[in-house]
Amino acid sequence: MSEAVATTCPYCGVGCGVLARADAAGTVSVEGDPAHPSNLGRLCVKGAALGETTDLHGRLLHPQLRAADGSFHRVGWDAALDRVADGFRRAVEQHGPDAVAFYVSGQLLTEDYYVVNKLAKGYLGTANIDTNSRLCMSSAVAAHKRAFGEDLVPACYEDLAQAELVVLVGSNAAWCHPVVFQRIAQAKAAGAKLVVVDPRFTATCESADLHLPIKPGTDVWLFNGLLSFLFQHGVMDAGFVDAHTDGLNAALAVASAEAGDPATVASLCGVQLADLLAFYRLFARHERVVSLFSQGVNQSTSGTDKANSLINCHLLSGRIGKPGAGPFSITGQPNAMGGREVGGLANMLAAHMDLHEPTHRQIVQAFWASPRIAAEPGLKAVALFEAVREGRIKALWIMGTNPVVSLPDADRVRRALQGCDLVVCSDIIERTDTSVHAHVRLPALGWGEKDGTVTSSERRISRQRRFLPAPGEARADWRIVCEVAKRLGFAEAFDYAGPHEIFVEHARLTAFRNHEPGADGRPAARRHLHLGGLAALDAPGYDALAPVQWPVREDGSGTARLFEDGRYAHADGRARFVATPGRVPAHAPDREYPLLLNTGRIRDQWHTMTRTGKSPRLAGHLSEPFVDMHPHDALRSGVREGELARVVSRWGTMVARVRHGGGIQAGQVFVPIHWNDQFASDARVGALVSPEIDPVSGQPEFKHTPVQVEPFPVRWHGFAFGRRQLPTAGLSYWARIRGEQFWRYEIAHRERPGDCGTWARAWLDAAAAAEWLEYEDADAGIYRAALVREDRLEACVFLSPRPDLPSRQWLAQLFGKPRLEEGDRAGLLAGESPDAGGDPGPVVCACFGVGRNTICTSIREKSLDTPAGVTAALRAGGNCGSCIPEIRRLIAEAHAGSEA
Ligand SMILES: Nc1nc2c(c(=O)[nH]1)N[C@H]1C(S)=C(S)[C@@H](COP(=O)(O)OP(=O)(O)OC[C@H]3O[C@@H](n4cnc5c(=O)[nH]c(N)nc54)[C@H](O)[C@@H]3O)O[C@H]1N2
Ligand SMILES: Nc1nc2c(c(=O)[nH]1)N[C@H]1C(S)=C(S)[C@@H](COP(=O)(O)OP(=O)(O)OC[C@H]3O[C@@H](n4cnc5c(=O)[nH]c(N)nc54)[C@H](O)[C@@H]3O)O[C@H]1N2
Ligand code: SF4
Ligand SMILES: [Mo]
């Protein structure tokens, strides 16, 4: 094993430090970095499984061009880069700079992001560069700018430890920001209260003192009501409001007109009055309140207003800029914050400057000494793809994001790409739902292979460091961009020796003419984002850079909390209350589409699964696309738990398995965002999502689409395991799941094969030499077969007219056995362990691979009544802690069962 390299996790915005090692064979092991202030050694299960995702299976290792017949062939870098540069040059020459566009990602490193933004805005002269952060953080960005004058996150993680009350709004932190959630759990153990505002009862709610299951989309009323309540009850920091804010009266007038009375608010939000008042009183009573918000706030047609209505309450009570207090927008992606620093959004310039500010444009252009600077804000994500579809954009370069899965109205996005003259895709994976439509595929270096920086939710800049060799011909994203820039004639401005030089240029720009008075003498160019203390870093200093929170002072020290001096970034130094009238979401359910579709994340997958989909450990928890719904709605829709259903909206359709128990209220359904054409037959939920956007931020309303659920009729269900991948063509339904030494397929089909044996042998590619075990009950319609080669299980398939198939967990274990024993053979066709208790059940604790049956048995037999007891007995829950809410529920269920 090599020396451990200290780097940063490439998943969520918590920004955990990771110590990573690779051995000579490329096997990677990781552990949490105890010295990193974001996580102090902890990792969640996704971080802990990083070593299972760095293999080269499915990687894009060479540039590729698409031929007329849709096939891809390998080309050299020069040919690929020339094709990109020629295409972009031609489009600009013939149609002007706004005929080209970039769609980039909060998963790029700051250095990658900086150069592509510089190329678009300063050299090509277009602001048509937007990013998946538009889908993620843009409402928070817009709210920060309205309230504070700049996109600034006031609080830090340490504030969670010091808070007396933590309010989570539209955040399933137990699953999505697990290591931050552990801090909240610690604060709770020390006496803090936790309130969760979410229409669903999520894993996060398991730990809450109070859950407010508000009607989707009604957050603005909830916080307008809180503002009125605080004002009416004298919970106002008048000194702070007078000295440091502006606009209270207008905000209060709107709030009290529509939400001045808690009973009205309770009915608008669909919650019990007593619960609402309990929340308002908790907020009123505690000085140290952190309100952490995420996609339940941002991804809404009133996302910006939701965030401002919440910030208003912190401003009124003066609970901001103090230890343990503040509104806290938690970032989704590892570098959502870094992308915002370098101005990756279509309406921003670099270093927190604004495109619409002439002084800012002049500062940035002067610093870059660039030939031009984009004069108008560019197209935001949804509009950008619409412009592609309409043919206004002729050349599009997509980097580090998978829009055919993740944008709303995703089938329309796919059609847009199909009609575009030139689509360039930089990715680490060869085949994604997006890259199949590219004309040029460019292989990027991935996590562990590349070097640079990311910024976490609390403004902490951390290094991602390389510990693996570059595979194939893959290159760093920044380098690819610079190569194209050179071919476009901008060699001098894009001549960087490495990420260090780019980072220093970015740091210098943050300090350049900062705090300078504008034309009217007011500090028009004052920005809080200031990395002056990092502007003189040399290469070794950059390599050794310790995690630091911006603003970074000249002596290199960082800043944990903003606004402690009460000075905001508006020209007059004051924060703004924003009047936020409540607004209903764009589309309401109706007779045709009676249910409301909410979409989001599950614990163990990351976005479109290109990386987490490789990990057997992460596949165990929830392994198929599903639609979570209330039993009454299932009944009404004619579907049953465990069966397949089609979910239909005005925009598109998908197929998923019906599930209960996800804490969903009647009238709503929840579908995870992760599955796509690479992992399932028809499970891109983006195809269904309405493309409606927030009018201020342009962020789509991902959590509020009317849908209908209907049966997906099939004649048989089945599953199969294979040591090799199996073909899926012709199956009505399939989902592919990565296992320890196999691929698993869940399948279903409209027609039963005439002769199951012939069909199964062909599908599993059973060679004559192998041993073929078979069982058929033709009357019951049950068929099972297994292929054994040299005493090792090679593949097996189970078919039934019903989805009541045997346990996959026990069968999966057989793939780990070098030789099948007699008992295994007997059990194989029964699909059951011959000895009772041999089936661990579905995975609950992914870190230690502990299944539900094992946990339930232990709870029963050892009379365990706390998660800590389960951890002591089985280790389950003892590592990342993400499964503790589930263990708690199993304990509660066991006890409820024994009382009954
Ligand atoms: N495991 C995992 N973790 C991740 C990711 C991942 O893919 N997988 N992705 C990362 C990224 S990029 C992001 S942006 C974050 C997202 O992190 P979160 O925002 O926590 O995750 P989501 O599941 O998108 O949505 C959060 C919650 O909003 C609720 N919600 C829906 N509508 C409303 C509403 O009207 N009001 C309120 N108050 N709540 C509502 C949903 O029910 C859901 O539980 O997660 C990050 N972490
Ligand atoms: N319905 C619905 N849709 C949503 C959301 C929702 O809640 N509901 N959430 C939205 C949000 S918040 C987000 S953040 C988006 C995320 O959606 P996407 O950004 O589309 O999802 P990812 O799978 O993270 O895509 C990242 C891509 O970059 C590739 N990649 C990984 N590392 C590198 C690298 O170093 N360089 C390059 N060039 N490529 C790399 C990966 O293989 C992958 O193809 O989804 C959005 N879409
Ligand atoms: S909480 Fe998990 S996914 Fe997020 S940065 Fe930490 S280890 Fe990575
Ligand atoms: Mo996100």
Side-chain angles (χ1 to χ4, degrees), residues 105 107-108 112 132-133 135-137 295 299 332-333 398-403 405-408 426-429 432 442 444-447 450 477 599-601 606-611 673 685-686 689 699 702-703:
S105 166
Q107 292 169 76
L108 294 175
D112 303 325
N132 62 3
S133 286
L135 318 179
C136 183
M137 309 311 313
Q295 301 313 339
Q299 290 174 339
Q333 300 180 89
I398 299 166
M399 256 172 247
T401 176
N402 197 353
V405 184
S406 55
L407 273 173
S426 301
D427 208 291
I428 59 169
I429 296 296
T432 70
L442 302 174
L445 292 179
W447 182 77
K450 57 197 282 183
D477 286 294
T599 61
R601 289 143 178 86
W606 176 262
H607 296 170
T608 71
M609 299 169 70
T610 61
R611 288 171 291 163
I673 62 173
V685 72
V689 172
Q699 181 155 353
F702 281 116
K703 296 193 163 15

Side-chain angles (χ1 to χ4, degrees), residues 50-117:
L50 272 166
E52 293 179 13
T53 65
T54 51
D55 64 88
L56 300 185
H57 182 88
R59 278 290 296 269
L60 178 63
L61 295 173
H62 307 280
Q64 297 180 344
L65 296 183
R66 194 174 78 199
D69 66 359
S71 67
F72 285 85
H73 57 277
R74 176 176 171 179
V75 294
W77 268 109
D78 278 333
L81 294 167
D82 286 347
R83 174 79 192 278
V84 177
D86 288 348
F88 272 65
R89 184 188 305 109
R90 208 167 327 120
V92 170
E93 280 169 6
Q94 292 175 1
H95 307 279
D98 290 336
V100 302
F102 298 82
Y103 185 60
V104 304
S105 166
Q107 292 169 76
L108 294 175
L109 304 180
T110 300
E111 294 76 3
D112 303 325
Y113 233 133
Y114 178 87
V115 291
V116 64
N117 189 56

